[in-house]
Amino acid sequence: MEITLFKKLAAAAFIAGGCIAGAAQAQTLQVSIEIPRLNVAEYHKPYVAVWLEDEARKATQIAVWYDLEMRNNEGKKWLKDLRQWWRRGGRSLDVPVDGITSATYGPGEHALDVVIAESDLAKLAPGKYRLRVEAAREVGGRELVEIPLTWPLEKSSLPLSAKGEEELGSIRIAMLP
Amino acid sequence: MKKMTLANLLLAGVITAGIAMQAQAHRAWILPSSTVLSGDDPYVTFDAAVSNTIFFPDHVALGADAVTAIAPNGEKVALENAARGKYRTTFDVQLKEKGTYKIGLASSGLRAFWKDDEGNRKMWPGRGQQANDADFATAVPKNAKELRVSQSSRRIETFVTAGEPSDTVLKPEGVGLELVPVTHPNDLYAGEAAKFKLLIDGEPAKGADVVLIPGGSRYRDNQDEIKVKADTAGLFSVTWPSAGQYFMEAEYEDNKAKAPATVRSASYAATFEVLPM
């Protein structure tokens, strides 16, 4: 299985973390997202959004994969198709956002590494949350998979996982050492 | 009093009966191709028609002349590519600014119905005509038989949003029957309750009758109407049973008209898109 790591943030963190030490600061949340290989006549890589939602449905953005390469930012036109994400903050986001947006990915397992101390996750109040992963594919379907969790994450409870049925495969939450 | 032409909208049914309720058979609507948009300067294309079946053009086109599109900053924006077909009118609006746009038309004015000495039905303004209230004195004989004068208004609207929803275009004008959304009209989801307020000339439209009909009625046996009544504050709420386009129509009538009218009647229609959760 093809594995792609989004290490832009993570790499920086490892270096920084290594110098400062302090395990807490270097904590990295890893969300693995499997994009299934679909046997369809016309395949486009899905748009995917990942966010953490509290009980009042307030969203903390983690990642958005969309078509960044289209001429005149045409790719942004389809962001609304991630319709839950769009409602939960996508529409107020001025994309692209450093550390959050990136290009779409094809079938395979993709790991999203977020250094907690360097992201909005560091500001989260302890409590109940849902990690939500939404995928929408051009001329295809849409799927929303969610994993309930308690923040801060208890290492003993990890990994947490869930599985989509159509547009998303298995979703897994882990904490990198 | 604010006035816009309604030439092609006023159907025989509305005028002869003088009660907007009678127009139920034909419904005027403006249907956006989408209501929630992302990206830079997106376009929305609209269909506008008067039809028997919701969102299925089968009767007459609704002229675009009287339609205005209001941008989030309150300014009018041009309708592009307006074209009138036999059964529907189409036009495009580009959403250059982020926020919520209101697209619609409104009219209000006096109407009179009476019988002449020979017993023939008369009405003013004439069918399909737009009258000026100032002509009332000369156009309508005050001692005519069965004279009925109404102060009537009509409004047809829909809303579309680029990016984040905004509220500027939702402010009421204080004329006729108006909808003041408590729940934003571009933030409607199946299974969720939406709350709206109806105003008549700026005051709560107590007891206004509201009917909501999901689109696609052509492909089912029933209208699946949702009937609601506005409370004393003009408020009503609806829990959307399923996703899709909805046609809403509200009717209001009372005897608080300004002379020479004795009846105040008003109708409001809107198209809403409800998204799946």
Side-chain angles (χ1 to χ4, degrees):
Chain A
M1 190 170 281
E2 178 193 355
I3 295 185
T4 314
L5 288 175
F6 301 124
K7 285 212 152 163
K8 226 194 291 176
L9 278 174
F14 277 129
I15 297 163
C19 298
I20 307 163
Q25 281 102 329
Q27 274 197 333
T28 298
L29 173 75
Q30 182 173 75
V31 182
S32 306
I33 296 165
E34 186 193 1
I35 308 268
R37 189 169 297 279
L38 299 167
N39 187 18
V40 291
E42 183 180 342
Y43 182 82
H44 299 271
K45 293 173 190 170
Y47 277 30
V48 174
V50 185
W51 72 102
L52 207 55
E53 207 169 284
D54 69 10
E55 285 183 304
R57 290 187 159 172
K58 190 179 170 296
T60 301
Q61 304 297 337
I62 295 177
V64 184
W65 305 345
Y66 74 101
D67 197 339
L68 294 157
E69 280 151 30
M70 283 177 82
R71 211 158 34 91
N72 303 327
N73 281 326
E74 289 257 335
K76 283 158 71 175
K77 180 177 171 182
W78 310 106
L79 280 173
K80 63 172 172 59
D81 291 347
L82 291 166
R83 57 179 184 244
Q84 275 301 317
W85 170 76
W86 186 246
R87 190 186 194 196
R88 305 289 167 221
R91 62 194 183 188
S92 60
L93 218 56
D94 193 11
V95 293
V97 181
D98 272 353
I100 290 183
T101 48
S102 69
T104 53
Y105 295 89
E109 194 180 310
H110 307 283
L112 193 59
D113 294 348
V114 186
V115 179
I116 294 169
E118 295 180 3
S119 74
D120 287 347
L121 297 177
K123 300 176 209 153
L124 288 182
K128 286 186 172 156
Y129 290 83
R130 287 181 292 172
L131 177 91
R132 307 185 93 187
V133 181
E134 184 175 26
R137 191 166 46 86
E138 192 180 341
V139 298
R142 171 200 164 267
E143 185 163 28
L144 179 69
V145 173
E146 51 185 44
I147 302 178
L149 56 86
T150 305
W151 191 269
L153 286 166
E154 274 294 330
K155 279 210 164 153
S156 58
S157 70
L158 299 176
L160 294 165
S161 64
K163 202 167 162 34
E165 284 167 8
E166 301 282 341
E167 303 297 333
L168 288 167
S170 68
I171 310 292
R172 208 169 63 97
I173 302 174
M175 199 71 95
L176 295 186
Chain B
M1 189 170 281
K2 187 172 171 145
K3 225 175 270 161
M4 289 182 222
T5 58
L6 257 188
N8 298 302
L9 174 65
L10 297 173
L11 298 164
V14 187
I15 298 169
T16 49
I19 302 166
M21 270 301 191
Q22 298 286 317
Q24 287 276 351
H26 298 302
R27 288 162 171 134
W29 42 262
I30 301 170
L31 179 70
S33 58
S34 57
T35 59
V36 172
L37 295 109
S38 59
D40 300 327
D41 308 335
Y43 267 98
V44 180
T45 188
F46 295 83
D47 285 347
V50 181
S51 71
N52 282 350
T53 314
I54 300 298
F55 309 138
F56 178 67
D58 61 4
H59 186 55
V60 290
L62 176 63
D65 299 353
V67 175
T68 53
I70 313 291
N73 63 8
E75 302 283 316
K76 277 187 192 175
V77 287
L79 306 187
E80 295 177 42
N81 307 318
R84 186 184 184 123
K86 177 73 178 164
Y87 292 129
R88 68 168 169 179
T89 288
T90 61
F91 57 86
D92 303 328
V93 174
Q94 188 177 22
L95 316 183
K96 288 184 181 164
E97 207 190 316
K98 296 272 187 245
T100 301
Y101 290 65
K102 176 164 83 177
I103 293 89
L105 51 80
S107 73
S108 66
L110 292 170
R111 291 188 207 298
F113 310 90
W114 69 94
K115 280 187 179 170
D116 66 10
D117 293 340
E118 285 81 46
N120 297 319
R121 287 175 179 278
K122 292 280 187 185
M123 62 183 169
W124 175 86
R127 187 167 300 174
Q129 282 173 0
Q130 183 62 26
N132 189 326
D133 285 359
D135 298 336
F136 175 80
T138 51
V140 178
K142 284 183 197 56
N143 300 319
K145 269 189 285 184
E146 297 176 33
L147 176 65
R148 183 187 142 96
V149 181
S150 73
Q151 175 194 323
S152 69
S153 62
R154 181 150 199 175
R155 196 177 282 275
I156 300 165
E157 291 174 346
T158 193
F159 306 89
V160 299
T161 295
E164 222 175 340
S166 65
D167 291 339
T168 327
V169 300
L170 307 178
K171 291 204 181 82
E173 294 168 20
V175 179
L177 191 58
E178 291 177 280
L179 186 83
V180 183
V182 178
T183 306
H184 195 285
N186 290 141
D187 205 8
L188 308 176
Y189 285 78
E192 288 188 7
K195 200 169 187 181
F196 301 109
K197 186 172 188 172
L198 284 164
L199 299 181
I200 178 74
D201 297 335
E203 300 292 321
K206 294 175 194 169
D209 288 302
V210 182
V211 174
L212 291 128
I213 306 170
S217 57
R218 189 185 184 199
Y219 305 110
R220 60 177 188 262
D221 293 336
N222 304 310
Q223 291 289 302
D224 287 353
E225 286 181 346
I226 300 167
K227 289 187 179 171
V228 203
K229 222 176 188 28
D231 67 12
T232 51
L235 289 163
F236 70 95
S237 89
V238 55
T239 300
W240 310 102
S242 57
Q245 297 278 9
Y246 281 76
F247 175 80
M248 176 199 140
E249 193 168 50
E251 307 281 353
Y252 180 86
E253 190 168 299
D254 68 15
N255 54 11
K256 291 179 188 162
K258 287 190 205 91
T262 55
V263 174
R264 176 166 71 161
S265 74
S267 74
Y268 175 90
T271 303
F272 298 118
E273 186 178 31
V274 176
L275 296 171
M277 276 297 270

